[in-house]
Structure formats: structure tokens, C-alpha cells
Amino acid sequence: MTIRFDGKVAIVTGAGIGLGRSHALGLAARGAKVVVNDLGVAADGQGRSSAEADAVVAEIIEAGGEAMAHGADVSNEAEVKDMVQQAMDKWGRIDILINNAGILRDKTFSKMTLDDFKKVVDVHLIGTATVTHTVWPIMREQGYGRIVLTASSSGLYGNFGQSNYGAAKAAMMGLMNVLHMEGARDDIRVNTLAPTATTRMTEELFSPEVGELLRPETITPGVLYLVSEDAPSRVIMGAGGGSFAQTRVYETKGITLAGDDITPENVAAQWDKVTDPTDQEILTQAFEQTGKYAKNAADLAGIKLEK
Ligand code: NAI
């Protein structure tokens, strides 16, 4: 089965270079009409230019596809509204949103200014929320939507010097979990990408040979699946250099203490059991955890739960 996007309209943020450019070209090559959004900033978010987005649009049109550029700052609500309105005026629908725009302001937490912390959260988290919130009613009305959020291994696993970025990227998981639930009724599917690619963000990390293996184009096929008709929902997909994997959160079985036994000493004494991965499980919604703790406590107290 070939994955195609004929008749579909997509917005890709931060699509002038790097991963976003690759996603935009990939969508257009398979039939999507693409809004190539980019603010055209330096890696730290400074400056502004429309040249990169214009070049991607020219490349798509040259190859016979359809695209329009828009220079909205994803964290600016008025500019995002203008972008979405222009896409609606031109193509009448928005089926796919890939939230990809991003910046870095790395410093250890002790040296980082709060302004740098807020700026990174603003672009990644508030920017993603702003564009998603603007297309959300359109997707609900259509009864169709495919959304990708872009996280990072830094948010999922931690990376020294990236407290702002790690916090903003980890927030993608929380946003995805809830949007997955709220969007399901209207066939809006929401997934998260955690990429590893050679771009200006990472160019110093790899040798030229390995860098070549980690081109953004090795990740885009997985993203295209995540925004296709048959996409899954609520998946955090790690991808890079041809590897594709799912990241998940597990909860251990844990322990349950009761009454006067609920002490710091008893938590410490049983820490091995608290953290023992045997029988760990994946919880699929908040109330499963709430219910688990209520049941554990009730069982120990000899109380029968209603359900
Ligand atoms: P990049 O720096 O090559 O491209 C980012 C693009 O976003 C740039 O074109 C920039 O102008 C645009 N942008 C920045 N702020 C914007 C704003 N406020 N509004 C609109 N556009 C804006 O970065 P790269 O590597 O392609 O990263 C893309 C996404 O993937 C980012 O969210 C990044 O955090 C994430 N990521 C990348 C990894 C990698 O290995 N390259 C690793 C993990 C996550």
C-alpha cells in the first residue's frame, strides 16, 4: 500500500531548513499541499528571514507540487492565525500539522537566565500549543486531523546543559497524551517524534561519515506514516539514520504502606521494591493510577471499592 497525501493540506513549522524542510518536501512529493512555515532565525532564535521558506516552496513547485510560504513566529498568536487563515483561504482545509520549529539556548541551569529558559519554552511548548490550538477547531469540524509534535531525547532522557529545552520537549508527551484523548472522537490522531538528525543543531556531534547516515531524510518516512490515514495515535517515535522505535512510560508495581507504617524510613527500606521493574505496566490514563492507589489502600484497609 502506497502512502499518499493527495487532496490533503499540511502545515510544517520551521520548514525552511533541517528536519522541517525534509518533512515538507516529503509530504509534497506524495501529493500534499504544504504550508512551509519558517521564521528564518539563527539556532538561538535571533534574526528573521523569509529566504529559507521561499527556497523550499520554490523547490516543491519546481518538482510539480503545491506549496506556500509563511513567516509566522509560531509563538505569536496573531501571526499564526494569519498563516492558518491564508491556508484556509487558499486550500479550504488543514489535515496535517507537523510542529517542528525550534531553537536552542544551552547553558547549565546555574548560568542560564530565566529569559533564556522562557524563550525556549515559548518557542517549543507555547509555539506548538499556539499552532495546534489554531488548527484544532478546523480539524474537529472536518472530523479529520493528523498532528505530530517534536520532542527530543533531551526531554525524554535528559541532556546536560538543556534544562530549558529538556523541560519544553518533555512537555510534548503531556500535551500529546491529552490531545490524543480529546481528539479521538473527531479522528484527530496525535503523535510525537524524537529525532536524531544531522542539522545545524547537531552538526558538531557527528563525524561527516556518520552525519551523512543521519540525514533528516532518514526520519521523514516515519513522520509521513505518523500523519497518514492509517496513523497510530499517542506514539512517541524515536527515529534517526533508519532506526525507528517507540518510547514509553512504565510504572512499577510498587508497594503499599498503611496507617502508621507510612513513614520515610519504610519507603527507604523498601526502595528496591518501589523501583523493581518486575510486573511494571503501562498506564493509559490518569485515573488508572488514581484507581490503582485507591484500590491498594482499600485492599489493605479491607474496604471493598464500588468498582
Ligand atoms: P534547525 O535549527 O535546523 O531548524 C529549525 C527551524 O525552525 C529553523 O528553520 C528556524 O528558523 C525555525 N524556527 C525557529 N524558531 C521559530 C519560530 N518561533 N517560528 C517559526 N519557525 C521557527 O533544527 P532541526 O535540527 O531541524 O530541528 C527541528 C526540530 O527537531 C526542533 O524542534 C528540534 O528541537 C527537534 N530536534 C532535533 C534534533 C536533531 O537531532 N536535529 C534532536 C532532537 C530534537
Side-chain angles (χ1 to χ4, degrees):
M1 179 208 51
T2 309
I3 292 181
R4 295 282 312 173
F5 299 98
D6 304 291
K8 298 274 194 287
V9 177
I11 297 177
V12 185
T13 71
I17 58 172
L19 282 157
R21 172 179 174 274
S22 172
H23 302 335
L25 292 174
L27 282 165
R30 287 170 181 259
K33 301 175 176 77
V34 184
V35 179
V36 178
N37 159 259
D38 207 292
L39 188 57
V41 291
D44 68 354
Q46 312 268 13
R48 187 162 195 162
S49 150
S50 59
E52 292 82 0
D54 288 343
V56 174
V57 168
E59 204 174 335
I60 291 173
I61 290 171
E62 175 106 340
E66 283 188 73
M68 61 178 269
H70 199 287
D73 175 344
V74 291
S75 62
N76 181 311
E77 193 182 345
E79 293 179 17
V80 168
K81 282 199 163 135
D82 181 69
M83 170 173 73
V84 170
Q85 191 56 52
Q86 284 198 31
M88 289 300 284
D89 290 348
K90 197 168 163 77
W91 292 317
R93 52 188 299 119
I94 294 165
D95 303 282
I96 295 165
L97 167 63
I98 300 178
N99 289 291
N100 165 84
I103 60 164
L104 288 177
R105 295 214 175 157
D106 295 1
K107 274 204 173 83
T108 58
F109 195 53
S110 59
K111 294 197 178 118
M112 186 180 292
T113 63
L114 272 179
D115 276 351
D116 280 347
F117 196 101
K118 287 178 185 166
K119 178 68 186 173
V120 166
V121 170
D122 214 29
V123 173
H124 290 279
L125 175 56
I126 305 302
T128 296
T130 302
V131 186
T132 306
H133 189 259
T134 309
V135 304
W136 192 255
I138 297 167
M139 290 182 170
R140 288 192 63 198
E141 179 81 9
Q142 290 168 177
Y144 188 90
R146 300 287 181 267
I147 299 173
V148 162
L149 318 176
T150 304
S152 163
S153 53
S154 176
L156 300 172
Y157 304 115
N159 193 22
F160 192 93
Q162 292 194 319
S163 54
N164 49 2
Y165 184 74
K169 288 308 203 184
M172 297 304 151
M173 188 181 69
L175 183 60
M176 173 190 73
N177 284 337
V178 176
L179 294 186
H180 158 79
M181 291 172 181
E182 295 185 5
R185 216 180 36 180
D186 298 307
D187 195 17
I188 303 174
R189 304 185 197 175
V190 188
N191 295 291
T192 300
L193 170 72
T196 293
T198 324
T199 67
R200 69 176 180 185
M201 271 196 189
T202 54
E203 60 197 355
E204 285 154 22
L205 295 180
F206 310 110
S207 68
E209 293 82 4
V210 176
E212 177 58 22
L213 295 175
L214 298 176
R215 294 184 323 277
E217 290 73 19
T218 63
I219 291 172
T220 294
V223 175
L224 296 189
Y225 173 59
L226 294 184
V227 297
S228 67
E229 294 259 355
D230 295 330
S233 192
R234 194 198 217 177
V235 171
I236 303 172
M237 185 188 74
S243 291
F244 299 95
Q246 180 173 16
T247 296
R248 299 175 123 163
V249 173
Y250 291 82
E251 175 158 314
T252 63
K253 194 161 185 299
I255 59 160
T256 306
L257 305 169
D260 292 344
D261 285 341
I262 308 177
T263 63
E265 291 74 19
N266 281 337
V267 173
Q270 297 207 59
W271 194 247
D272 283 352
K273 272 181 91 177
V274 171
T275 56
D276 180 359
T278 313
D279 297 330
Q280 65 187 7
E281 54 184 346
I282 296 165
L283 306 180
T284 58
Q285 59 145 308
F287 284 106
E288 282 183 21
Q289 193 192 52
T290 312
K292 170 179 162 181
Y293 299 165
K295 182 175 183 315
N296 287 348
D299 282 354
L300 267 187
I303 299 168
K304 208 170 165 342
L305 281 184
E306 297 285 301
K307 62 175 201 142

